[in-house]
Amino acid sequence: MTTTSINRNNYSLLFKFIFFITVFWINTAQAQKATKIFIEKNNTHSTLSTLINEIEKSNNIDIIFEDKNLLTKQLPPINNTIELSAYLRALLPQKFIVVPSKKIILVLDNYTDINNLFVGLVQIGTNSFKAQVFDELTGKTINGANVFFRKDKSGFITDSNGMFYKQSSKNLIIADISFIGYKKKTIILAKSNLAKNKTVLIPLDTAFGMLNDVTVSAKRQNENIKIQKIGVQKISISSIKEVPTFLGEIDPIKAITTMPGVNSSGDMGSGFSVRGGNSSQNLVLQDGGIIFNTSHLFGFFSAFNPDFIEEIELLKGGGTAEYGGRVSSVLNIKTKNGNMNNFKALVGTGLVSSRIALEGPIVKDKSSFLIGGRISYADWFIKMFDDIRLKKSSAKYHDITAKFTQIINKKSIITLSAYYSADSFNLALDSTFHWSTKNISLNWIQKHNKRAKSTITLANSNYSSGVDYSDEIYGFNYSNGINVVSFNYKFNYKLTPKINLLAGTTNNFNIINPGESYPNTDLSSSEAKILNKQKSIESAIFIGNDISINDKLSLNIGLRYDNFLRLGEDYIYSLDYNNLEGRTASITDTTYYGKSDIISQYGGFQPRISMRYMLTENASIKMGYSKIKQYIHQISSTTIPSPVDFWISSGPNLKPQIGDQLSLGYFHNFNDSFLETSIEAFYKKTDNSIDYITGVDLHLNDNIDAALTQGSAYSYGLEFLLKRTEGKLNGWLAYTFSRSYQVMEGESPELAINDGEKYPSIFDQPHQLTLVLNYRLSNLVVLSSNFTYNTGRPITVPISKYSYGNILSVNNYSQRNAYRMPDYHRLDLSATFYTQKKPNSKFNSEFIFSIYNVYARKNAYAIYFDKNGFAYKTYILGSIFPSISYILKFK
Amino acid sequence: MNIFRFFILLSTLSLYSCVEKYDINITNKVDGVVIEASISNLSYNETLKYPSNGRLFQVKLKSLSNVTNIKDKIISNAIVTLIDDRGDRILYTESPPGTYSIKKPEFAAIYGIQYKLNVKIPSGEEFESSWETLPQMETELGELSIEETSIYKYVSAANNEKKIGNFEGINLNVELDKNNSEDYKYYRWTYDLLWIFIAPRPNNSSPVKKCWMTDKHYLNYQTLEKNKTNTNKKLFFIETTGNYRIYTYFSVLISQQVLSEGFYNFNKELNEQGNRTGIFAQPPFNLQTNYKCINGDKSVSGYFGVYTEDMIRWIFNKDDLSYYINNDILEKCGPVQSPAPGPTSCESCMEQLGGPSTSPPLWWTPL
């Protein structure tokens, strides 16, 4: 399939190649003329200005003077015919003449090293210079690169789109651009009537094995030391790509789980756990829209299309005051904007899926689009095999991501992002599990002035999951879901150079479908059951300050106030925990709440504070505290998290979870920050944590509140990170020691779990180790490895059995989570081959060969038990998984 | 095979070879006892009247087994005593090993009296149940009625395909006790079958011509109902097409029991627990117990139930149906004197599955 598509493209590529050669030849021919400009003797021009004007007009070149005043210079008589650049050198001996291309001559005030010099042209008529910095090899924009302007000794950091702007009335500016991992580059941006674009694209070359050539500013290098926030993990898309892939699929979530304190919520399971918390305690945002399921194909692949990701930021502990609603973490994913100047395309194909992405300008420098998607064809491959189990199985997913960006004016930008994904799988059973996400978000960023900026986000996140049991006699279609409409407003104001103010509001209107089931045919004996929808509004206002008290001490202080309203229409049971009915509280009354009636209200202040103290230029200590409330909760009705886990809302019988987290960290960079180290300690306590009451049925339970018990969860741990950011050999070693416990004393003694004693949560994995190593064999070949070790997850197992009456085997189980699954460990390797990017090349490609699970360990996905108490280990990856994927990029 | 196809093959096959038996190293083995016991307001003598062979109140004692064990290990030589709140004590007699019975045919639980079971095992541990009492004075089995209906179920077809068939049968419904209180009533019905199978080929004088079957695998479940209102309850469904059990004689000794809430929940969870298997099973749980070890921390499982009971022997009557039931055994076995071999049960009723006996039960009176 891939081969065919490439062959079809060969004609197109051939055409492009011929076109490229032709254009190159024409340019060269013209250049010959431009560089051989001679000034005739006895020239009659009295000033340099008139001479230059005539030469420019007659030769279609541009001669740009850094010092405009030079043009007024009176010309001495010219006695001999002389070549133009030689004449200028003779005329202006103090100046430095550079001929960077065949059509441009620059007259600079000072000497400039022309090695690795980049000259970009900006259209005349603007009072500013605008440029975008990108990776020469991958084409990705570079966020956070340092731009230092030599003349006025000022600097910028490129924004999230790799852009920087410089207001200047001058003809040209000279700057140095540097970024960690890239060769420093000197750039000259010059205003020219030959310029075609308003924005200059500046490529940076990666600094493979050239450490000595890389000079990056201390500010950038020490970012991990200097930022106030603790528990922040940023991972760039380039780092994500270097983590070895499963079946060639680049997976941002798997890359996140290589960070300390983060691990997968199951072996190939969906989601991830942060510092011992549940996966549902993580707020995952993509362009402001909430993502409720981060996985494809039951956790095989991530729901996020790597081609669209600009940056991933994980805030362990809930983040700053602008975030709320989840007690464990915030994963903020920003998608990139479409290219404003050039059309680009990317086609990638792997063993089980392919992807395509297109981007380009709609109106140059004004608006752009970015659209793409992925589709799996695992289903097609599975059915190719002559195996009845495989033929009865299916596994498929697809997703589409689109983004429209409109620059309204210099101060205003709007983006509209849309995301749709759908999954289903069936492993030789009559049950098909499926889940789907439909998100749309509108972001409007308005810059009021140099100090103030507003961001408005309108989003709708619609997630549903279910299982279809296709049996004709007993079949049913079960589904649940959550639909959230969000309106957020954020206002940034730079009060003083040392105080940044952030204030705003977040508002979510939630409609939860806890579950409904219908018979799938007229014949089916399955009964329809529909649980009432749960509606709620989560509103919050927040204010936060970044305060630099002095060079050493910096603070981030925030306060958030939440107000949660559970709304009707619904029937709410009054529960009597002192009078149990079976395993659960008895119902003493039922109250009907009409539409929009307030069923219950919760709220409160949630302070956030983080502090950084610089011990030296390369070392700092940080401290953070956060309080967060979570009002909606995900419940799993099965022994392991499954795609059909459902959400429910807090209410009169289910209090919000309240998380308090304290963390302390020491950060130290060595060797000019090429080696980053950190150690962070945390203690997290979650009040009103939720677990199920022993023996209850959670599936389609219309009294689900009574089937749950609330208590305390607490976790603590130490996280170590050793990261080499540069060099041929780079990567990181992350180790976490942590414990995660729960104490469920029960609303009455009978509801206590494990007699009210502490017990490990299912995310208690004391030892987590990850070693990611990348070795740059050359500019074009990167070898990567990833080794992961996690202590096995706690489980409840049958420890004995007995017969009783007609029942031949009754299992007698251990205390909850008293045993563990086998430890998890895995080694993955990959080699990425890049094609050499040629000047003006319209395409480049990547070829990724990866071996997942190198020593073929059968890591347990789940352990389950039959009714006789026998244990069965389910492993998704039973062997070594080699794979190949190919990515072709067009420009 | 090219490399691409090899990778596909390797990867895809790996995805589906994914379940294997797993041995869990049980580090904290629990030494425990299982006590299966109940009493009701119907004495042995009274149960004979329904008619039946009679039911003694029994206690079965066994040890918890390792999950890999197949057979239970019984506990012999225990001292099992029923104690009531008047201070009366009744000692159980062991026979056969591991099974202990009250050998007083007139004994029955009395309303208003509290009972508890005390078990002392040879290793010295002593277990005692909580005090239990009859939940109500008496229960009366309401009127039984049949309802002609049909069900859909899968049948085997050619090429190992499943086909849906529609099968006629009857529901047996019972009218429930009047419940004048606001409280729930907790019902259980158990079934004890007797049916007759007549092998077609032996002559009438043959000892293997007619067998009495006490099929332990048919209707071998209990029906539970938690009820506040007076309604009819479906007890069970039996097929009337191709069901060889009902051709000659088919009766069910139905025991209707009113349980305490605790004993009801125990039985409900007993039924449910076996269904919670597989990856996406509901979370596991242990059954609740009303026993405890009074001189140690040895684990104990089971529930001492005290319930009110009424019985009836319901006999299926083909004439109650609106349609004719065809006895297809004769067709399946062929002519009586045919030399061609038929199913073995055609030649001998003792070959028919369902616990055959050539002797009728003790209470049997000729039809």
Side-chain angles (χ1 to χ4, degrees):
Chain A
M1 197 169 161
T2 309
T3 314
T4 310
S5 111
I6 289 171
N7 286 340
R8 280 176 188 163
N9 284 328
N10 278 350
Y11 295 105
S12 152
L13 294 178
L14 183 63
F15 171 76
K16 285 176 181 174
F17 177 71
I18 293 167
F19 175 73
F20 167 76
I21 294 294
T22 308
V23 170
F24 182 78
W25 182 83
I26 291 167
N27 283 339
T28 308
Q30 285 178 339
Q32 286 285 342
K33 182 183 169 188
T35 52
K36 298 287 181 188
I37 296 169
F38 291 89
I39 302 171
E40 301 297 329
K41 67 177 181 180
N42 301 323
N43 197 298
T44 56
H45 292 284
S46 59
T47 64
L48 186 57
S49 172
T50 55
L51 173 68
I52 294 298
N53 277 342
E54 186 191 300
I55 294 172
E56 284 179 340
K57 275 182 189 170
S58 56
N59 295 284
N60 191 29
I61 66 164
D62 201 356
I63 304 165
I64 305 165
F65 289 77
E66 187 176 3
D67 181 0
K68 292 178 190 172
N69 296 328
L70 291 176
L71 290 168
T72 59
K73 190 176 176 65
Q74 295 295 313
L75 296 183
I78 300 170
N79 300 322
N80 297 303
T81 300
I82 185 170
E83 196 268 328
L84 175 61
S85 60
Y87 174 72
L88 290 173
R89 283 189 187 102
L91 180 71
L92 306 166
Q94 304 299 318
K95 303 299 172 187
F96 184 63
I97 313 299
V98 179
V99 187
S101 77
K102 320 303 186 236
K103 289 186 164 187
I104 300 291
I105 295 175
L106 301 176
V107 182
L108 307 178
D109 291 348
N110 299 302
Y111 169 79
T112 299
D113 184 1
I114 60 169
N115 287 322
N116 207 21
L117 176 70
F118 174 88
V119 177
L121 302 182
V122 181
Q123 286 178 352
I124 287 175
T126 62
N127 213 23
S128 67
F129 294 89
K130 187 166 72 170
Q132 189 177 34
V133 183
F134 67 99
D135 183 310
E136 167 78 6
L137 193 64
T138 63
K140 304 281 183 192
T141 57
I142 299 172
N143 161 26
N146 288 283
V147 185
F148 177 76
F149 299 99
R150 292 182 175 183
K151 208 79 173 178
D152 57 8
K153 300 198 185 312
S154 65
F156 283 106
I157 300 284
T158 55
D159 66 12
S160 58
N161 296 317
M163 305 284 289
F164 70 86
Y165 307 85
K166 173 73 175 169
Q167 294 280 341
S168 176
S169 57
K170 291 186 174 170
N171 277 348
L172 65 84
I173 55 173
I174 304 174
D176 294 320
I177 298 186
S178 57
F179 188 62
I180 208 157
Y182 291 87
K183 291 179 192 172
K184 179 184 172 185
K185 181 167 266 181
T186 300
I187 62 159
I188 295 175
L189 300 184
K191 291 174 185 168
S192 167
N193 50 20
L194 299 178
K196 289 174 183 167
N197 300 315
K198 289 179 181 171
T199 305
V200 178
L201 299 176
I202 304 170
L204 286 194
D205 303 327
T206 44
F208 300 145
M210 299 183 69
L211 289 178
N212 295 335
D213 292 347
V214 180
T215 309
V216 289
S217 75
K219 184 180 175 184
R220 178 65 199 172
Q221 283 183 352
N222 281 339
E223 190 186 32
N224 63 320
I225 301 283
K226 288 192 171 178
I227 58 170
Q228 296 106 330
K229 288 179 274 184
I230 187 168
V232 179
Q233 297 290 348
K234 276 190 181 181
I235 188 160
S236 67
I237 192 65
S238 55
S239 296
I240 290 168
K241 288 175 72 175
E242 284 173 357
V243 175
T245 60
F246 172 63
L247 293 179
E249 288 286 320
I250 297 157
D251 190 336
I253 296 298
K254 275 199 189 65
I256 279 288
T257 62
T258 64
M259 296 286 121
V262 189
N263 57 331
S264 167
S265 64
D267 302 334
M268 303 302 288
S270 59
F272 56 95
S273 162
V274 178
R275 290 181 169 170
N278 290 322
S279 52
S280 61
Q281 292 174 337
N282 304 319
L283 177 65
V284 181
L285 298 168
Q286 182 170 268
D287 290 340
I290 302 169
I291 301 287
F292 290 95
N293 191 329
T294 58
S295 71
H296 273 315
L297 276 186
F298 210 6
F300 276 110
F301 309 113
S302 157
F304 304 108
N305 188 335
D307 301 322
F308 288 75
I309 293 174
E310 181 176 280
E311 184 183 77
I312 292 183
E313 183 181 52
L314 179 71
L315 304 168
K316 294 183 279 191
T320 50
E322 67 183 291
Y323 299 111
R326 302 289 188 281
V327 295
S328 252
S329 77
V330 180
L331 181 67
N332 204 356
I333 294 171
K334 287 180 187 167
T335 59
K336 64 180 187 180
N337 294 331
N339 196 299
M340 291 274 177
N341 294 295
N342 299 312
F343 286 98
K344 288 182 178 177
L346 177 149
V347 179
T349 186
L351 282 181
V352 294
S353 69
S354 283
R355 60 190 207 259
I356 185 167
L358 304 168
E359 63 176 311
I362 297 170
V363 177
K364 257 191 172 181
D365 292 322
K366 280 283 182 191
S367 58
S368 70
F369 73 93
L370 180 63
I371 187 164
R374 296 181 292 174
I375 187 163
S376 76
Y377 31 78
D379 211 35
W380 181 69
F381 282 132
I382 287 166
K383 288 181 170 40
M384 277 171 58
F385 294 98
D386 191 21
D387 179 309
I388 189 70
R389 285 185 67 212
L390 293 179
K391 282 190 186 300
K392 284 185 173 178
S393 301
S394 73
K396 49 193 170 188
Y397 76 84
H398 60 270
D399 62 31
I400 300 167
T401 312
K403 190 171 185 181
F404 167 74
T405 306
Q406 174 72 52
I407 298 172
I408 297 169
N409 54 45
K410 285 178 186 173
K411 293 183 174 178
S412 188
I413 183 167
I414 286 180
T415 63
L416 180 68
S417 304
Y419 173 72
Y420 168 76
S421 82
D423 275 79
S424 70
F425 75 87
N426 176 348
L427 299 179
L429 299 167
D430 292 330
S431 300
T432 301
F433 290 84
H434 54 86
W435 62 97
S436 166
T437 299
K438 293 172 200 153
N439 274 24
I440 186 160
S441 59
L442 178 76
N443 286 281
W444 178 16
I445 301 167
Q446 176 71 45
K447 207 169 177 180
H448 305 293
N449 52 48
K450 283 182 181 175
R451 290 180 165 189
K453 185 175 84 173
S454 293
T455 308
I456 292 174
T457 302
L458 270 170
N460 177 226
S461 311
N462 194 348
Y463 174 73
S464 63
S465 67
V467 57
D468 296 335
Y469 183 49
S470 61
D471 190 283
E472 283 185 78
I473 299 177
Y474 309 104
F476 57 83
N477 297 325
Y478 165 81
S479 64
N480 64 64
I482 179 166
N483 191 346
V484 182
V485 177
S486 308
F487 168 72
N488 302 329
Y489 173 74
K490 199 165 69 174
F491 178 71
N492 292 72
Y493 187 72
K494 199 172 178 73
L495 209 59
T496 72
K498 291 192 171 182
I499 300 177
N500 276 319
L501 186 74
L502 175 69
T505 175
T506 61
N507 303 274
N508 288 342
F509 177 55
N510 308 313
I511 302 175
I512 294 174
N513 169 16
E516 56 190 35
S517 182
Y518 302 94
N520 66 336
T521 63
D522 292 339
L523 216 61
S524 172
S525 60
S526 175
E527 290 180 7
K529 189 164 186 181
I530 305 158
L531 301 185
N532 290 338
K533 302 268 190 305
Q534 299 180 351
K535 295 177 189 163
S536 60
I537 295 177
E538 288 178 77
S539 303
I541 51 173
F542 62 87
I543 185 164
N545 277 307
D546 274 334
I547 307 168
S548 294
I549 292 171
N550 55 42
D551 286 348
K552 290 193 169 182
L553 185 61
S554 179
L555 293 172
N556 179 281
I557 302 171
L559 189 63
R560 182 183 178 86
Y561 181 81
D562 275 0
N563 185 45
F564 173 83
L565 298 174
R566 169 87 179 268
L567 302 174
E569 174 182 24
D570 207 349
Y571 291 89
I572 300 294
Y573 297 125
S574 298
L575 302 177
D576 180 1
Y577 288 96
N578 296 315
N579 184 19
L580 298 187
E581 209 171 285
R583 302 263 190 175
T584 61
S586 58
I587 299 170
T588 56
D589 199 7
T590 306
T591 308
Y592 169 75
Y593 292 88
K595 278 185 182 171
S596 305
D597 285 354
I598 295 174
I599 296 171
S600 60
Q601 180 174 13
Y602 293 101
F605 287 101
Q606 299 166 38
R608 317 278 168 88
I609 182 166
S610 57
M611 182 214 79
R612 179 225 65 204
Y613 185 79
M614 296 292 294
L615 297 170
T616 68
E617 186 61 24
N618 294 315
S620 66
I621 54 169
K622 298 181 192 179
M623 189 276 287
Y625 166 76
S626 62
K627 181 187 271 294
I628 306 157
K629 294 188 178 184
Q630 179 164 346
Y631 300 101
I632 58 171
H633 322 279
Q634 193 175 33
I635 306 298
S636 180
S637 61
T638 53
T639 48
I640 59 166
S642 82
V644 292
D645 293 351
F646 55 94
W647 288 84
I648 57 169
S649 177
S650 288
N653 300 314
L654 199 68
K655 295 187 281 273
Q657 298 180 71
I658 304 170
D660 287 275
Q661 185 168 165
L662 186 66
S663 47
L664 182 68
Y666 174 73
F667 299 78
H668 199 140
N669 289 0
F670 297 92
N671 194 16
D672 288 335
S673 295
F674 292 152
L675 196 62
E676 296 177 359
T677 64
S678 67
I679 174 168
E680 291 183 59
F682 70 90
Y683 177 82
K684 184 166 77 173
K685 183 170 183 287
T686 306
D687 290 330
N688 304 329
S689 174
I690 296 171
D691 209 341
Y692 66 88
I693 291 171
T694 303
V696 296
D697 188 350
L698 298 161
H699 182 65
L700 284 172
N701 186 334
D702 60 6
N703 190 14
I704 188 73
D705 294 354
L708 302 169
T709 186
Q710 295 193 281
S712 298
Y714 64 95
S715 55
Y716 56 86
L718 275 177
E719 298 167 354
F720 301 87
L721 180 66
L722 175 67
K723 190 173 184 182
R724 188 160 197 245
T725 57
E726 293 299 328
K728 275 194 167 182
L729 181 66
N730 62 61
W732 61 91
L733 173 70
Y735 170 74
T736 304
F737 171 79
S738 66
R739 300 307 307 262
S740 173
Y741 293 106
Q742 286 179 298
V743 180
M744 297 287 166
E745 292 177 336
E747 289 73 7
S748 66
E750 294 88 346
L751 300 182
I753 296 173
N754 289 5
D755 304 319
E757 300 293 321
K758 76 170 183 182
Y759 63 96
S761 79
I762 60 165
F763 295 100
D764 177 53
Q765 292 177 281
H767 302 284
Q768 300 158 37
L769 176 83
T770 305
L771 176 64
V772 175
L773 290 175
N774 303 307
Y775 183 75
R776 298 183 188 281
L777 208 58
S778 72
N779 279 4
L780 302 175
V781 182
V782 180
L783 306 178
S784 302
S785 70
N786 171 34
F787 174 75
T788 301
Y789 169 86
N790 292 326
T791 310
R793 215 173 269 293
I795 50 170
T796 308
V797 306
I799 51 175
S800 55
K801 67 176 183 183
Y802 55 94
S803 66
Y804 203 97
N806 290 335
I807 310 291
L808 293 176
S809 180
V810 178
N811 291 336
N812 194 43
Y813 288 91
S814 67
Q815 293 273 69
R816 190 172 296 181
N817 298 342
Y819 283 76
R820 286 186 183 276
M821 298 216 289
D823 289 349
Y824 182 97
H825 50 93
R826 196 189 73 232
L827 174 68
D828 316 318
L829 301 172
S830 74
T832 305
F833 301 89
Y834 299 95
T835 51
Q836 178 76 54
K837 193 179 177 197
K838 296 184 176 66
N840 300 320
S841 170
K842 292 287 179 189
F843 65 93
N844 66 342
S845 61
E846 293 170 26
F847 183 79
I848 304 168
F849 174 75
S850 65
I851 303 175
Y852 200 85
N853 197 19
V854 170
Y855 50 83
R857 181 172 165 82
K858 294 174 179 174
N859 284 304
Y861 164 68
I863 289 181
Y864 69 91
F865 308 92
D866 67 10
K867 58 186 175 183
N868 297 314
F870 292 112
Y872 297 88
K873 181 173 86 171
T874 306
Y875 50 92
I876 304 292
L877 306 174
S879 67
I880 184 171
F881 270 77
S883 64
I884 300 169
S885 64
Y886 182 73
I887 298 166
L888 189 62
K889 295 176 186 174
F890 302 90
K891 246 183 174 181
Chain B
M1 181 184 290
N2 63 35
I3 187 83
F4 186 59
R5 196 170 162 76
F6 166 75
F7 281 129
I8 294 167
L9 182 69
L10 193 62
S11 300
T12 312
L13 289 180
S14 302
L15 278 173
Y16 292 95
S17 52
C18 57
V19 178
E20 65 182 24
K21 216 163 176 185
Y22 181 71
D23 289 326
I24 289 183
N25 181 21
I26 304 297
T27 49
N28 299 315
K29 290 193 176 168
V30 176
D31 196 12
V33 169
V34 182
I35 307 171
E36 192 180 331
S38 59
I39 59 172
S40 81
N41 64 331
L42 283 189
S43 68
Y44 173 82
N45 286 339
E46 286 168 309
T47 59
L48 292 173
K49 296 175 191 167
Y50 287 104
S52 77
N53 282 347
R55 182 257 301 120
L56 288 170
F57 296 119
Q58 291 183 328
V59 172
K60 288 182 179 173
L61 283 184
K62 56 203 130 187
S63 299
L64 287 176
S65 308
N66 289 339
V67 288
T68 49
N69 283 5
I70 302 296
K71 210 172 174 186
D72 288 327
K73 186 181 170 190
I74 58 163
I75 298 175
S76 279
N77 303 316
I79 299 167
V80 181
T81 312
L82 181 71
I83 302 168
D84 67 33
D85 59 1
R86 300 168 301 185
D88 292 343
R89 302 170 79 89
I90 300 173
L91 206 59
Y92 285 71
T93 307
E94 185 178 10
S95 174
T99 301
Y100 303 80
S101 309
I102 295 177
K103 295 287 172 92
K104 289 185 174 181
E106 72 285 1
F107 171 75
I110 299 169
Y111 185 72
I113 302 295
Q114 290 190 308
Y115 298 91
K116 69 177 178 181
L117 192 73
N118 180 283
V119 176
K120 193 172 182 181
I121 60 174
S123 58
E125 285 91 352
E126 196 172 346
F127 304 92
E128 209 161 74
S129 73
S130 57
W131 288 106
E132 298 289 332
T133 186
L134 289 173
Q136 66 178 54
M137 288 282 278
E138 59 182 20
T139 180
E140 189 178 347
L141 245 163
E143 190 179 338
L144 296 171
S145 58
I146 62 168
E147 173 194 4
E148 290 180 9
T149 184
S150 65
I151 61 162
Y152 291 96
K153 69 175 190 179
Y154 287 109
V155 289
S156 297
N159 305 323
N160 289 327
E161 292 286 319
K162 282 196 301 184
K163 209 173 109 186
I164 293 176
N166 186 241
F167 294 85
E168 287 186 316
I170 56 165
N171 286 335
L172 184 71
N173 300 321
V174 64
E175 193 181 329
L176 298 183
D177 286 339
K178 284 187 177 171
N179 185 4
N180 296 322
S181 77
E182 283 293 304
D183 299 330
Y184 282 109
K185 283 179 90 170
Y186 299 94
Y187 289 98
R188 177 172 75 162
W189 291 270
T190 59
Y191 313 109
D192 195 4
L193 301 191
L194 184 80
W195 53 282
I196 290 175
F197 178 74
I198 295 176
R201 287 190 176 172
N203 58 42
N204 288 343
S205 59
S206 168
V208 293
K209 176 74 177 173
K210 179 178 181 181
C211 288
W212 282 262
M213 320 290 284
T214 52
D215 198 335
K216 298 295 180 194
H217 299 289
Y218 191 68
L219 299 182
N220 65 336
Y221 52 82
Q222 51 186 11
T223 306
L224 294 167
E225 173 75 0
K226 177 181 166 185
N227 198 294
K228 228 178 207 180
T229 55
N230 305 321
T231 54
N232 276 0
K233 171 69 182 170
K234 175 193 156 188
L235 297 183
F236 54 76
F237 169 85
I238 54 175
E239 281 176 40
T240 52
T241 312
N243 186 351
Y244 51 85
R245 296 174 188 88
I246 63 171
Y247 292 157
T248 306
Y249 169 87
F250 180 85
S251 75
V252 184
L253 181 66
I254 299 169
S255 167
Q256 174 174 290
Q257 301 158 9
V258 177
L259 314 180
S260 67
E261 184 188 348
F263 194 39
Y264 171 87
N265 287 327
F266 174 83
N267 281 283
K268 180 169 165 279
E269 292 182 353
L270 187 65
N271 288 349
E272 289 172 353
Q273 208 220 34
N275 298 328
R276 297 193 175 193
T277 63
I279 297 181
F280 298 126
Q282 296 260 327
F285 61 92
N286 286 329
L287 300 181
Q288 290 178 307
T289 182
N290 60 349
Y291 295 107
K292 64 180 176 183
C293 182
I294 58 175
N295 62 349
D297 56 0
K298 197 160 189 166
S299 162
V300 58
S301 302
Y303 202 99
F304 175 56
V306 178
Y307 55 86
T308 309
E309 184 178 28
D310 189 20
M311 289 185 178
I312 193 169
R313 180 166 293 277
W314 173 75
I315 301 169
F316 172 67
N317 184 354
K318 285 185 275 189
D319 295 336
D320 289 341
L321 298 181
S322 62
Y323 51 87
Y324 173 73
I325 296 176
N326 177 38
N327 184 340
D328 58 357
I329 292 176
L330 298 173
E331 294 164 22
K332 286 177 181 170
C333 290
V336 173
Q337 299 303 325
S338 168
T344 53
S345 58
C346 297
E347 312 292 338
S348 166
C349 65
M350 289 301 287
E351 298 297 326
Q352 177 63 45
L353 292 176
S357 169
T358 52
S359 306
L362 296 173
W363 54 268
W364 183 258
T365 50
L367 293 171

